[in-house]
Amino acid sequence: MSIGSFAETGLAQRIRAAAARGALGHAVIFSGEGELVEAARYLAAAMECGESRQPCLACVPCRKVLRDIHPDVTIVADPEHKNISIDVLRDMRADAYLLPNEGRRKVYIFPDCSLLEPKAQNVLLKVLEEGPPQAAFIFCAANSAVLLPTIRSRAEEWRLPPAETAGEGAGAGARQLCELLCGGKRADIVGFFMDLESGKCKREELQILLAETKGLMVSGLAACYDGGDSFSQKLAREMGRRRLAQAVEVLETYIRRCGYNIGVGHLTGALAAELAERP
């Protein structure tokens, strides 16, 4: 699963909602199946993002997090030992009390908590309980039981459900709309939405189409930084980061509007105009 795929999962929506409320905790456990480290990166990006929609996946802090080059986001590892040593954790603990270099927080990601022995975990208790407000800790564990109860009690656990991916099963209509946006021809984009209206498309059907299209666009946006499947790479190559981000923003607006009692003709007409006018 790429960052773009994770970005359209229900868990990613919970992260965005918590970020909007300013409610991202200082300690989180990602457990379950799936790409736990990608989820951790997404959360770290939300913590460092400087835009109103966090994470935007497009600003400089987000891009640095996705490329593993953000100076305030650390992957805690110990390549010299089988398990993460106490000395490494003590150094990390001391670093947590320093102010961030350029970000909003200092974030520490533990990509495999099975490498944390109980004695090593005890080193973390004080910084988890009484640590500085700018420090955050993200633990990745297929089974959270590998962490001590005292660690789990100080963290919020978010489980990754199996096979929750963006764009999976996206319909032909969503892919067609993406292709038209790649081409950028106003007449083709307007014609697509006129066909929807003449075909008596319902608001619920339009909402699903837009949500699927948005999922593909988000995957394309992420592919600008961390690769992805061939279709995502095509979107990244032909639309570019700026156009993809703009399209996602417009689609989000109209997905919400589909929930209002508005005629499909008004929605498709306005949406076609906005998408077609984007540079």
Side-chain angles (χ1 to χ4, degrees), residues 25 31 47 51 55 65 74 76 191 195 210-211 237 259 265:
S31 63
M47 291 177 173
E51 302 299 320
V65 173
T74 301
V76 182
D195 289 343
L210 299 184
R237 182 174 61 254

Side-chain angles (χ1 to χ4, degrees), residues 12 22-23 42 46 68 78 99 110-111 114 144 148 153 166 170 172 181 184 188 206 209 219 230 243 259 273:
Y42 188 86
D68 288 332
D78 188 355
L99 292 176
F110 295 82
S114 66
S144 61
L148 296 174
S153 68
L181 292 173
D188 291 342
L206 177 62
L209 168 67
S219 294
S230 59
R243 284 184 62 207

Side-chain angles (χ1 to χ4, degrees), residues 91-174:
D91 289 343
M92 182 226 71
R93 186 178 61 185
D95 183 72
Y97 286 90
L98 302 176
L99 292 176
N101 295 284
E102 64 180 52
R104 301 165 64 199
R105 305 177 79 167
K106 300 198 81 169
V107 183
Y108 302 90
I109 297 175
F110 295 82
D112 185 357
C113 289
S114 66
L115 302 180
L116 287 171
E117 295 179 320
K119 286 184 179 180
Q121 293 183 42
N122 281 322
V123 174
L124 301 173
L125 290 179
K126 186 173 182 180
V127 74
L128 286 177
E129 189 171 25
E130 304 173 1
Q134 75 270 10
F137 307 89
I138 306 174
F139 301 93
C140 300
N143 185 344
S144 61
V146 300
L147 292 166
L148 296 174
T150 45
I151 295 282
R152 300 200 302 270
S153 68
R154 290 162 172 79
E156 181 177 3
E157 182 173 354
W158 290 346
R159 285 190 61 81
L160 270 71
E164 188 182 6
T165 58
E168 192 172 276

Side-chain angles (χ1 to χ4, degrees), residues 3 6-7 11-26 28 30 37-66 70 72-73 103-107 109 134 136 138 158:
I3 285 286
F6 177 78
L11 182 53
Q13 293 173 16
R14 288 174 57 195
I15 291 173
R16 288 196 297 270
R21 300 193 307 271
L24 292 177
H26 77 290
V28 171
F30 283 116
V37 176
E38 295 301 330
R41 282 197 185 96
Y42 188 86
L43 177 58
M47 291 177 173
E48 301 293 1
C49 180
E51 302 299 320
S52 57
R53 180 184 183 275
Q54 300 166 354
C56 70
L57 302 181
C59 67
V60 171
C62 280
R63 284 153 50 195
K64 285 186 175 182
V65 173
L66 298 185
H70 196 293
D72 297 311
V73 178
R104 301 165 64 199
R105 305 177 79 167
K106 300 198 81 169
V107 183
I109 297 175
Q134 75 270 10
I138 306 174
W158 290 346

Side-chain angles (χ1 to χ4, degrees), residues 198-218:
S198 63
K200 306 298 182 183
C201 177
K202 298 178 181 178
R203 275 189 295 119
E204 295 81 2
E205 295 169 340
L206 177 62
Q207 190 172 43
I208 292 171
L209 168 67
L210 299 184
E212 290 178 345
T213 305
K214 177 194 160 192
L216 294 171
M217 290 285 170
V218 170

